Amino acid sequence: MVPLRYNVRSLLVRKVTTFATAFGIALVVFVFAAALMLGAGVDKALSSSGRDDRAIIMRDGSDAELSSRVEGNHLGLIRDQPGVRKSDGASVVGEIVVVVTAELADGSGGTSNVLVRGTEREGLAFKADGASEATAFRPEIKIISGSAPRPGTTDVIVGRAIAGRFKGIGKGQSFDLRRNRPLHVVGVFDAGGSSYESEVWGDLDTIRDSLGRKGMVSSVRVQLEDKEAFPAFRTALEGNKELGVKVQRESDYYKKQSEATAGFLSGLGMAIAIMCALAAMLGAAITMNGAVAHRTREIGTLRALGFSRLAILTSFVFEALLLSLIGGAIGLLCVMGLTLVSFPVMNFQTFSEIVIRFIATPEIIVSSLIFSLVMGLVGGLVPAIRAARISPVEAMRG
Amino acid sequence: MNLATYARRNLWRRKGRTILTILAVAVAVLIFAVIRTVVSAWNAGADQAASDRLATRHKVSITMQLPLNYSTQLREVPGIEASTWATWFGSKDPKERTPFFAGFAADHNTWFEVMDEMQVEPAALEEWKRTPNGAILGDVLARTLEVGVGDKLMITSDIYDGDWEFKVVGIYKPLRRTVDRNSMVFRWDYLNNDPRAEFAHDQIGWMMSRITDSTKSADVSRAIDKIFDEREDQTVTMSERAFQLSFLGAFAAVLTAFDLVSLVILLIMTLILANTIAMSVRERTHEYGILRAVGFRPGHILGFILGESVLLALIGGVVGVLLTLALINGVMGPYIEENMAGFFPYFQAPVVVMLQALGAAVLLGLVAGLFPAYRASSRKVTDALRRID
C-alpha cells in the first residue's frame, strides 16, 4: 500500500486547490447539517412538550387543539376514569387555545400567529407557586422573571422563546383578546426548551370569556398514575361514544406535530443540500482529476516500484476522502455557531409560530461526515480509476 | 489571434476539466434559479392577486369568527361594488387521497360574483342555488377525489363532527393562474342550518369585497374597519394576498434562510471556478513566461486568464439557464402549479432570475480569475521560465 503520508503531503503541497475544494464541500455540509439541526430543534421543542404519562383528550376528528372542542362538564367524568392519578395535586386540567395575530416588535411591520393558552387554576400551579414538584401539574414550567399569573385574573405569562418578540407581549405590557379587555403580561416562563416557550399562558375562564366560549375547552390534559395506565384509560373514555373524544398520549400528539413540521423543513433543506452536493462533487472531481494529471509521472514511478493498481486506486480514493473529510470538519465547525441562534418556524398543525434553537446531535454530526465522505468518494472515484490505469512505461516516458 | 480565440483554445486543452467545470457552474446556476424561483413565486402571488379585492377578518385572530350581520353592514361602505363571505370548513378526505385541500362554506348568491376568476357555467350555478348540499370543486381536486358532476361526495372536517355528504353540482374553471384548483366550495346556509354547527351559528369566517376603484383600496379598508371599530368584534381589512399570507406568517423566516442558501451556492461556484483557473494557470506558468519573453505585457497575460475564466463561467451560465428553462419551467413548474397551488399558484423561473443567475456567473467568473491572473501576470519572466512542471 502507498503510505498515507504521501496523500497528506500531496494535499498540503497544493494548498490553494485543497482549500478551495474543501471549503466548497464545507459549505454544502453546512447547509446539510443546518437543515438537520433545524429539524432536530423543532423535534426537541415539540417532543419535550409531551410526556408519555400524560394524556391529551380532544374532540374525535380534530388533529390539533386549535380546532377541538370538548364540553367542560365532561371533566368530572374524566376524573373518575381508571388510571388517573389519585394522589395529591391536580390530575385533570381543561385548557383552551387560540392563536392571535401579533405584530413583530422589530419594527418590520411583519405579523405572526401566537398561540394563547388558557388553563385551569391547577394548570397554573408551578413549583414557584409553592406546589411541590411531585404535585405540580407541569413541574417543567418555571417562572424565570416576574410572577406567576394569579388565577381568575387577566394576568398572563409569556414563554421565554417569544418574550419581547411581539408588540404587547413582553413583560409589563398588555394586549387585547377582546376589545377593552386587556391581558396583562406579568412574567416570563421557562419550559425546558419545549414549544410551550412559544406560547402565552393565562387563566382558563378569563380567556374563555374573551372568546365567548363559556363552558367549552379545547382539550383536557390528564396526569396518569404512570405510563402503563394509558391503554385502560383510553379504552374507557373512547368506549363512551357519547363523549365523542379521542385520547392520545401527550408524547404521541406532539410527535405527530413534529413529524409534519420538522419533516417538511428538514426535507426541504436536505433537498437543497443534495442539489448543492452535486456541484461540490463536480468540484472534488475536478481537483482529483487535476491531481492525477499532475502526478502522472509520480504514479508511473510508484507502479514501477512495484505498487499494484489496487494500491494506487486505494491511495487516490483515500486522498479524495481525506479532502472531503477536511471539508466536512470545517463545515461542522462552522455550523456549530448556529446552535446559538434561534429561528422562528411555523407549526403547520396550529398555524402558530414556534421559536426554536438549532440543535446538534451525535447522529447529525456522524451523518454530515458520512455525507461529506460520499461527496469525496463519488467525486474522487473516476479520477482514482484513471490513476490506477496509468501504464508505468508510458507515464515515465512523459 | 485575439483574446477570445486564445481563451477558447486554452479551454479546450483540458477537455475533461473544462466540461466538469462547465457542468459545475451550470448546476450551481440551476440551483440558484430554483431557490430564487421559490422565493419569487412566493412573493409573486402578491402581484398576481386581484388588486380590486379586499379581505376582512377578525382583528385578533385568524381563527375567530364574525357575526353574520357584518356582511350586510359592509355593503354600506361607499366604494364597494360587491361582497361575499365564507367560513373555513377544515375539510378532510376520509379516504386520505389528499393530505390537505381548502374547503369552505360560502354564500351561494354572491361568492362567484366576487371571486370572478373562478368561472362556473350558468347552469351549474343555477343547480347550486337549487341544491342545498351542492358543492363546486376545482378540476384538480375533483380528479383527486375521483368525482364528477352529479356524484355524491363524503367529506369529514377537522372542526365539525361526523360525515358531511355533498352533491357535486359543478367544476369551476380557473381564469387566472393564481386560482387554487385544489379547493371546494359549498353553501354556507347548509353548514349554518346543521345542528353540528350550532356552536358557530350565524357566524362567518371572513368577508371578501370587490371595490370599484382599486387605487382607493387603502381608504376603503379603513372605512370598513371603522364601521366595526366600536363593536365587540373588531375587524382588519387587507389585500387578498396579505390575507392568505396571514395564515403562513412564520414561513417568511424560512424564505430568508433560502435567500442565504442561494448566496452559498454562488460561493461554491466561485470556489470551483477559481480552483479550475488556478490549476490551468499553474500548468501554464512556463508558457506565460515564454509569452512574456516574446513581448506580451503583464496586462495581456491578465487578459488571457480573465478572458478564459469569464468564458468558462459564461458557457456554464448559459447551460445552466437552459437547464433551468427545461427543468423548472418545463417539468417542476407545471407539477407544482397543479399540486401546490395553495402555496405557489404560479411557479416559473422569471426572466429576471435567469438574468441574475447569468450575470452572477459572469461576474463571479471574473472574480474567480482575478487572483490567479494577478499572480501569473506579476511573476517575473525568469521565474516563470525556470518553472517546468
Side-chain angles (χ1 to χ4, degrees):
Chain A
M1 221 174 95
V2 184
L4 301 183
R5 231 176 57 182
Y6 168 72
N7 304 102
V8 177
R9 301 186 81 154
S10 297
L11 285 176
L12 288 178
V13 165
R14 307 182 313 143
K15 278 194 276 306
V16 177
T17 294
T18 302
F19 173 77
T21 314
F23 195 60
I25 290 172
L27 286 170
V28 178
V29 169
F30 184 92
V31 173
F32 180 84
L36 289 179
M37 283 165 66
L38 181 63
V42 172
D43 193 54
K44 161 92 185 345
L46 286 169
S47 65
S48 51
S49 297
R51 291 190 2 180
D52 53 9
D53 63 347
R54 272 201 309 244
I56 176 168
I57 298 162
M58 295 188 301
R59 183 186 73 87
D60 188 25
S62 291
D63 292 328
E65 283 172 290
L66 195 60
S67 55
S68 165
R69 293 176 325 277
V70 177
E71 289 286 346
N73 55 21
H74 289 160
L75 260 71
L77 196 140
I78 292 170
R79 224 166 252 132
D80 294 337
Q81 299 301 316
V84 178
R85 186 172 71 177
K86 293 289 189 297
S87 55
D88 293 347
S91 302
V92 176
V93 169
E95 294 188 333
I96 193 151
V97 303
V98 62
V99 295
V100 301
T101 306
E103 192 181 338
L104 292 171
D106 62 7
S108 64
T111 59
S112 201
N113 296 312
V114 176
L115 193 139
V116 177
R117 178 184 301 277
T119 179
E120 285 186 284
R121 183 176 295 264
E122 294 82 359
L124 288 175
F126 314 123
K127 271 189 292 183
D129 208 36
S132 75
E133 183 143 357
T135 58
F137 187 71
R138 284 199 182 90
E140 66 267 34
I141 308 278
K142 287 183 207 84
I143 304 288
I144 52 169
S145 127
S147 56
R150 292 161 298 162
T153 67
T154 57
D155 290 353
V156 295
I157 48 173
V158 58
R160 67 185 303 174
I162 57 161
R165 189 172 153 75
F166 298 100
K167 279 189 184 160
I169 316 187
K171 201 177 99 186
Q173 296 176 306
S174 62
F175 65 96
D176 278 356
L177 206 53
R178 174 144 295 200
R179 192 179 151 70
N180 295 332
R181 259 179 261 168
L183 298 173
H184 301 278
V185 183
V186 297
V188 178
F189 68 94
D190 174 295
S194 74
S195 64
Y196 296 133
E197 287 183 2
S198 297
E199 299 180 359
V200 174
W201 281 23
D203 180 79
L204 174 69
D205 289 321
T206 306
I207 288 169
R208 192 152 67 164
D209 290 352
S210 304
L211 300 177
R213 279 202 245 160
K214 281 205 170 68
M216 284 280 189
V217 293
S218 300
S219 66
V220 183
R221 308 280 184 135
V222 177
Q223 177 65 55
L224 302 169
E225 287 287 354
D226 49 44
K227 63 180 184 193
E228 274 74 37
F230 177 79
F233 174 74
R234 175 188 177 166
T235 315
L237 263 191
E238 287 189 350
N240 187 343
K241 288 290 167 216
E242 259 170 55
L243 292 177
V245 295
K246 180 166 68 182
V247 183
Q248 286 171 283
R249 280 191 205 273
E250 239 187 23
S251 47
D252 290 342
Y253 170 69
Y254 283 105
K255 198 199 278 168
K256 250 179 249 160
Q257 294 200 350
S258 165
E259 274 163 12
T261 306
F264 174 80
L265 288 175
S266 49
L268 200 68
M270 296 265 278
I272 294 177
I274 286 169
M275 288 197 295
C276 293
L278 213 60
M281 278 189 297
L282 287 166
I286 293 166
T287 299
M288 290 314 293
N289 239 332
V292 173
H294 198 65
R295 290 178 356 224
T296 308
R297 194 177 283 233
E298 264 172 53
I299 297 165
T301 313
L302 287 171
R303 294 274 286 123
L305 286 173
F307 286 104
S308 66
R309 285 182 193 280
L310 186 66
I312 301 289
L313 182 80
T314 324
S315 173
F316 274 88
V317 167
F318 173 76
E319 192 167 319
L321 291 179
L322 187 64
L323 181 67
S324 60
L325 201 61
I326 295 171
I330 298 175
L332 275 178
L333 215 62
C334 297
V335 91
M336 288 305 157
L338 280 185
T339 52
L340 305 171
V341 178
S342 44
F343 189 79
V345 298
M346 197 178 98
N347 182 340
F348 287 117
Q349 298 263 292
T350 60
F351 289 115
S352 64
E353 178 177 298
I354 50 176
V355 178
I356 61 110
R357 279 180 175 282
F358 287 86
I359 288 175
T361 64
E363 289 84 8
I364 292 177
I365 293 172
V366 170
S367 46
S368 302
L369 287 178
I370 291 175
F371 186 64
S372 67
L373 287 174
V374 169
M375 277 189 272
L377 185 67
V378 175
L381 198 59
V382 176
I385 291 171
R386 250 186 59 190
R389 289 172 58 180
I390 286 174
S391 137
V393 182
E394 278 170 31
M396 290 178 74
R397 202 182 282 142
Chain B
M1 191 164 87
N2 61 19
L3 189 149
T5 324
Y6 187 82
R8 188 158 45 85
R9 294 241 171 108
N10 254 340
L11 271 186
W12 219 234
R13 278 164 60 181
R14 290 274 187 197
K15 283 200 194 63
R17 181 190 300 163
T18 301
I19 290 172
L20 283 179
T21 312
I22 288 173
L23 260 181
V25 173
V27 167
V29 163
L30 175 68
I31 298 165
F32 177 82
V34 168
I35 297 173
R36 301 291 318 177
T37 303
V38 170
V39 177
S40 84
W42 182 264
N43 298 326
D47 317 328
Q48 300 259 333
S51 58
D52 61 347
R53 219 158 38 207
L54 297 172
T56 304
R57 65 160 172 85
H58 199 287
K59 188 178 177 183
V60 171
S61 170
I62 51 172
T63 58
M64 285 159 78
Q65 302 207 308
L66 299 169
L68 176 63
N69 62 27
Y70 276 30
S71 63
T72 40
Q73 288 163 37
L74 179 86
R75 296 205 176 105
E76 291 160 14
V77 174
I80 290 186
E81 191 178 84
S83 68
T84 188
W85 73 87
T87 294
W88 184 252
F89 186 64
S91 44
K92 291 199 287 192
D93 174 25
K95 291 187 192 160
E96 293 181 354
R97 283 164 295 201
T98 166
F100 175 83
F101 65 93
F104 41 89
D107 176 43
H108 58 281
N109 290 313
T110 52
W111 180 258
F112 288 105
E113 190 190 322
V114 176
M115 309 300 282
D116 54 358
E117 75 274 29
M118 303 162 92
Q119 197 190 43
V120 180
E121 303 274 323
L125 209 53
E126 281 311 306
E127 182 64 23
W128 198 35
K129 288 175 182 171
R130 278 195 301 270
T131 319
N133 70 341
I136 297 181
L137 278 67
D139 57 336
V140 173
L141 181 64
R143 210 176 318 136
T144 314
L145 298 180
E146 298 157 321
V147 287
V149 174
D151 291 349
K152 287 209 180 322
L153 175 62
M154 195 73 91
I155 295 291
T156 57
S157 160
D158 190 37
I159 304 167
Y160 304 93
D161 285 330
D163 292 333
W164 293 74
E165 194 185 278
F166 299 102
K167 185 178 174 219
V168 180
V169 295
I171 304 290
Y172 65 81
K173 252 207 229 95
L175 293 187
R176 247 200 301 248
R177 311 196 70 146
T178 49
V179 175
D180 182 2
R181 291 154 68 193
N182 200 22
S183 75
M184 158 185 172
V185 195
F186 65 92
R187 283 172 55 164
W188 179 84
D189 55 358
Y190 181 62
L191 175 70
N192 197 47
N193 292 337
D194 195 291
R196 290 173 290 181
E198 182 59 38
F199 66 91
H201 192 69
D202 281 351
Q203 288 182 9
I204 58 178
W206 71 94
M207 300 182 283
M208 281 286 185
S209 13
R210 200 168 58 220
I211 54 178
T212 45
D213 181 358
S214 61
T215 59
K216 298 229 168 73
S217 63
D219 297 336
V220 178
S221 300
R222 265 195 300 275
I224 296 172
D225 293 339
K226 195 154 181 293
I227 320 181
F228 306 115
D229 195 44
E230 296 299 316
R231 307 292 179 77
E232 274 286 285
D233 297 287
Q234 290 170 291
T235 61
V236 54
T237 302
M238 59 192 93
S239 74
E240 194 177 355
R241 182 63 181 174
F243 175 67
Q244 290 161 2
L245 288 184
S246 62
F247 292 88
L248 305 161
F251 208 72
V254 174
L255 287 183
T256 314
F258 260 50
D259 256 357
L260 284 178
V261 176
S262 76
L263 298 181
V264 168
I265 188 66
L266 290 184
L267 192 55
I268 295 175
M269 180 176 88
T270 314
L271 287 168
I272 292 172
L273 269 171
N275 186 24
T276 295
I277 297 299
M279 282 195 318
S280 310
V281 169
R282 197 170 36 234
E283 284 166 10
R284 293 186 215 132
T285 307
H286 190 69
E287 267 176 54
Y288 291 132
I290 295 174
L291 284 175
R292 288 289 311 280
V294 301
F296 283 93
R297 316 289 311 162
H300 288 118
I301 307 292
L302 198 76
F304 289 148
I305 298 173
L306 287 182
E308 189 177 332
S309 175
V310 168
L311 185 64
L312 195 57
L314 183 67
I315 298 173
V318 170
V319 174
V321 167
L322 291 177
L323 280 178
T324 304
L325 281 173
L327 286 178
I328 303 186
N329 293 10
V331 183
M332 251 172 95
Y335 179 81
I336 289 177
E337 282 170 15
E338 183 144 316
N339 294 291
M340 295 173 66
F343 289 94
F344 301 110
Y346 179 77
F347 196 91
Q348 297 276 298
V351 177
V352 180
V353 165
M354 288 189 268
L355 288 180
Q356 270 176 0
L358 202 59
V362 172
L363 187 72
L364 294 174
L366 196 66
V367 171
L370 269 181
F371 179 63
Y374 173 76
R375 269 227 317 217
S377 65
S378 57
R379 196 185 279 275
K380 278 202 195 118
V381 182
T382 43
D383 276 358
L385 284 173
R386 207 174 290 137
R387 262 188 67 158
I388 44 163
D389 64 338

